[in-house]
Amino acid sequence: MTAPLSLTTRLRLARLAIVVPPQFSGPEAADFAAHGADLLILTKGERSVEEAAEGLRVARNRLFGLQTVVAADDSDVAEAAGADVLFLKRPGWRPFGIKRPHEYALLGRSIDGVADVDKIDGDPFDFGFVGPAVERGDASAAVAEMAAQYPPTALPAGPVWFAAGGISSQTIEAVVAAGARRATVSTAIFTAADPFHETRAIADVLKAAWDADPGSQDYGMAAFR
């Protein structure tokens, strides 16, 4: 039996995050893990807190034994379901701070680039989505700048960041060439004729880049420690 990894370790080793629209945020969302998803953000939409929380619980139960991280994009849903991660895209200022769903939960948010990296330095956010990753069909300057200043597999480990925005199986190679080793996808997957095939195509490119990265082995060993 494989021992469960800490959420921090699982996040550091994650390559593909999928933001799942409400209509797909049921038990079937767990099936994306079999096709390469390491982080699933199940969005609330117009559903009630209890309905969204139950969907997250069921999906997580189907992932039992896997290392996939499950997130909510709503504070009340995250607390009700005991989510692994609370992801707040643009949290804004909150006078009483941001409450974690539980002691070990992680917090994530979006940033626009290197100038905002202090917002994901672990106080309170543990990781971020950086974008837009693609502009006019090619990798954006935001991705290249982040990769240059915060190489994803460098040690000592820097902030965990995922390239986000405009990524598909057609653009992922350009994003990887710009230096990203993690990516966030939503639209390209859920508008594809075969969402699982699109997921696998993106995951395979990320895995190949990760495996070929000279720093990935030492980074992975450090993540386990």
Side-chain angles (χ1 to χ4, degrees), residues 130-141 143 163-168 171-172 174-175:
V130 181
V134 176
E135 293 180 331
R136 296 181 292 278
D138 202 357
S140 70
V143 170
I167 296 175
S168 70
T171 60
I172 184 61
V175 173

Side-chain angles (χ1 to χ4, degrees), residues 79 164 193:
E79 184 173 3

Side-chain angles (χ1 to χ4, degrees), residues 81-217:
D84 298 327
V85 171
L86 170 59
F87 183 83
L88 299 171
K89 187 175 182 179
R90 301 288 180 180
W93 181 74
R94 301 192 178 198
F96 301 107
I98 297 171
K99 181 180 179 183
R100 295 177 187 265
H102 53 83
E103 180 182 0
Y104 303 105
L106 304 179
L107 297 179
R109 58 162 296 156
S110 290
I111 63 172
D112 296 316
V114 170
D116 286 337
V117 78
D118 61 314
K119 296 178 180 177
I120 57 169
D121 65 357
D123 185 22
F125 292 95
D126 303 286
F127 70 99
F129 291 175
V130 181
V134 176
E135 293 180 331
R136 296 181 292 278
D138 202 357
S140 70
V143 170
E145 290 170 1
M146 279 293 294
Q149 294 197 38
Y150 301 96
T153 62
L155 291 175
V160 173
W161 60 275
F162 295 73
I167 296 175
S168 70
S169 59
Q170 303 302 309
T171 60
I172 184 61
E173 290 189 5
V175 173
V176 162
R181 294 295 178 266
R182 302 180 181 89
T184 306
V185 189
S186 185
T187 302
I189 287 173
F190 295 100
T191 58
D194 186 338
F196 292 140
H197 183 272
E198 179 74 0
T199 300
R200 174 50 64 190
I202 296 168
D204 285 348
V205 172
L206 289 168
K207 182 179 186 304
W210 189 281
D211 290 346
D213 191 312
S216 63
Q217 184 172 358

